[in-house]
Amino acid sequence: MKPEWLYTPPKPLDEKTAAAARERQAQLTKPPGALGELENVAVTLAAAQGRERPRVDSVWISIFAGDHGVVEEGISAFPQAVTAEMVKNFARGGAAISVLARTLGAHLEVIDLGTVVGLSGVPGVVHLNLGPGTANFTRADAMSTDQCALALEAGRGCVAKARAEGAELFVGGEMGIGNTTAAAALACALLGESPERLAGPGTGIDKAGVARKAEVIARALSLHGAHFGDPLEALRRLGGFEIAALTGAYLACAQSGLPALVDGFITTAAALAAERINPGTANWFFYGHGSAEPGHVRLLDALKARPLLSLGMRLGEGSGAATAVPLLRLACALHNGMATFAEAAVSEKL
């Protein structure tokens, strides 16, 4: 049975507040549109928050971790033990996202959904133990119905905590050796694309490795292809615990009215799944950066998304999104703090 909460309609953006924010932008001491995308960011945040002068002082970052059975097909440059090792690194504060969260003053939580190297009792980590990673999706469904539902609910629960703590922006990140393969497979299913177009180097495999990844994905698409008309079923059969949790988080963000800043390739695959499951969800998304992973461009195009940064990043962990948070804060500062023509006694355009 499908979780009914997935289909609760997204909260509508406040168009009255958006209009007021656009009017304020028109009165600020600058030529119209001179601040480019920063103006659109401020207006959209105003509409999302229901206040003409938005802010993103309180940022919540949830990192979801899980292993992938498809790794046994030889599609990764790193062993699966790295997933659990990185979970510990997140908790100790040594990972890139840990540094970024501290620098931003953001709340960071780490959710271990299920790893091959079983974890328990790691300080600062929530252990949900959905299984020792997903199944190999070239031979079986990646997740059972119950596992997928629990992963989706894990994401929803993180957003509920973020809302309760007064978060103004949600950032989702991921960790899972093999998850670029899962994300590419899911993207192929949702977009009807070929694996050759969407498969990329991930953690650093060579050209031959990318070709093998594409071949592995092609086998999975052949096995599960009859079910791709249902995006939730595509997610269950091809996704990962962390991809499902991100999907649930993005759905919950839209339903509860919390803007989400989407990271790179893997999180954008989850964002597209969320939008396909419940259309209108993507109205609540900002996109942190354009990943160096080749399939990301196609996902962004499908979502009609304009990433804020293009820095050649492909780390994951939510790092690209976190790097873009200062831009959102600056957009708010400019929108809120600039003088109007009347306040500054500056002549307006003739």
Side-chain angles (χ1 to χ4, degrees):
M1 181 179 294
K2 297 180 180 181
E4 293 184 4
W5 69 267
L6 298 177
Y7 305 99
T8 300
K11 185 177 179 180
L13 296 174
D14 187 335
E15 294 302 331
K16 184 177 180 180
T17 302
R22 280 191 290 270
E23 177 61 24
R24 175 171 174 78
Q25 281 287 331
Q27 297 301 316
L28 297 179
T29 47
K30 58 178 176 58
L35 289 174
E37 191 61 23
L38 294 176
E39 297 183 16
N40 297 327
V41 166
V43 170
T44 303
L45 279 169
Q49 296 180 355
R51 52 192 177 198
E52 184 185 331
R53 302 197 181 196
R55 59 179 182 265
V56 285
D57 299 329
S58 179
V59 178
W60 185 284
I61 304 174
S62 295
I63 307 300
F64 302 100
D67 270 318
H68 294 260
V70 72
V71 168
E72 69 187 27
E73 300 294 325
I75 46 76
S76 177
F78 285 85
Q80 280 189 300
V82 170
T83 303
E85 290 164 359
M86 283 302 298
V87 167
K88 295 176 182 177
N89 193 28
F90 295 144
R92 289 193 298 262
I97 190 60
S98 309
V99 174
L100 289 164
R102 285 197 301 272
T103 303
L104 294 169
H107 176 90
L108 176 66
E109 64 171 353
V110 183
I111 301 92
D112 163 31
L113 296 155
T115 59
V116 170
V117 179
L119 293 172
S120 63
V122 178
V125 176
V126 177
H127 299 286
L128 297 184
N129 300 316
L130 302 187
T134 57
N136 183 344
F137 61 45
T138 66
R139 303 176 188 177
D141 301 344
M143 291 174 275
S144 69
T145 300
D146 286 347
Q147 286 175 323
C148 188
L150 288 168
L152 288 159
E153 183 61 41
R156 182 192 189 197
C158 289
V159 172
K161 288 187 289 184
R163 292 286 297 171
E165 293 296 324
E168 294 159 330
L169 183 73
F170 177 85
V171 174
E174 40 62 38
M175 178 62 216
I177 295 301
N179 63 8
T180 58
T181 300
L186 178 60
C188 286
L190 295 176
L191 298 173
E193 291 281 7
S194 70
E196 290 77 16
R197 183 172 182 186
L198 299 187
T203 51
I205 57 176
D206 60 16
K207 186 176 180 179
V210 174
R212 174 162 182 76
K213 179 187 286 191
E215 183 272 328
V216 168
I217 293 170
R219 283 194 275 129
L221 297 178
S222 177
L223 177 64
H224 301 288
H227 305 275
F228 294 164
D230 181 346
L232 179 60
E233 191 65 5
L235 174 66
R236 184 181 75 82
R237 289 171 174 268
L238 298 172
F241 294 155
E242 79 279 40
I243 297 173
L246 284 161
T247 301
Y250 293 143
L251 287 162
C253 280
Q255 291 165 344
S256 64
L258 178 61
L261 183 56
V262 179
D263 187 34
F265 178 57
I266 295 151
T267 58
T268 307
L272 180 61
E275 171 64 15
R276 292 290 177 84
I277 291 168
N278 195 339
T281 295
N283 291 335
W284 289 86
F285 300 163
F286 296 91
Y287 300 86
H289 75 121
S291 171
E293 191 70 13
H296 196 210
V297 171
R298 182 66 184 91
L299 286 170
L300 291 170
D301 286 346
L303 287 160
K304 298 180 174 60
R306 298 181 64 182
L308 295 168
L309 298 171
S310 180
L311 300 173
M313 298 176 70
R314 57 181 180 85
L315 176 60
E317 304 178 4
S319 58
T323 301
V325 168
L327 279 181
L328 270 63
R329 288 176 170 172
L330 288 170
C332 292
L334 289 164
H335 179 81
N336 299 339
M338 284 182 68
T340 65
F341 284 100
E343 291 167 345
V346 173
S347 297
E348 297 188 51
K349 184 179 179 181
L350 297 177

